Amino acid sequence: MIKIIAVLCSLSSPADCREQIVTTSDFADVSVQSCLMGMPQLAEWMKQHPAERLAAWRCVVGSQNSRGA
């Protein structure tokens, strides 16, 4: 399983950032290569969450959970 964990910051409070699992390979066609190249799925997810800014992301293989940023 490949998870994409994004660091998201609130546009209304830029210092308020958190990590969130954006997608996993259980639900989307995610490969390590596509994850590392910027993931079109991540861009689509961000379109659906306009109140947040993407500060960073990482690819995680396995069952690691997200944590506070």
Side-chain angles (χ1 to χ4, degrees):
M1 176 186 312
I2 300 169
K3 294 181 182 180
I4 301 168
I5 299 179
V7 177
L8 303 169
C9 300
S10 170
L11 291 178
S12 61
S13 180
D16 181 19
C17 298
R18 61 184 168 66
E19 289 188 345
Q20 180 170 332
I21 296 172
V22 175
T23 188
T24 68
S25 57
D26 286 346
F27 303 110
D29 183 20
V30 179
S31 69
V32 172
Q33 182 178 6
S34 66
C35 184
L36 295 173
M37 293 179 69
M39 288 290 308
Q41 291 94 333
L42 183 57
E44 185 61 35
W45 191 91
M46 290 305 300
K47 285 182 192 177
Q48 298 171 11
H49 298 84
E52 297 178 302
R53 176 182 63 84
L54 177 66
W57 82 88
R58 69 180 187 277
C59 305
V60 177
V61 178
S63 61
Q64 178 178 340
N65 294 326
S66 63
R67 60 180 189 264

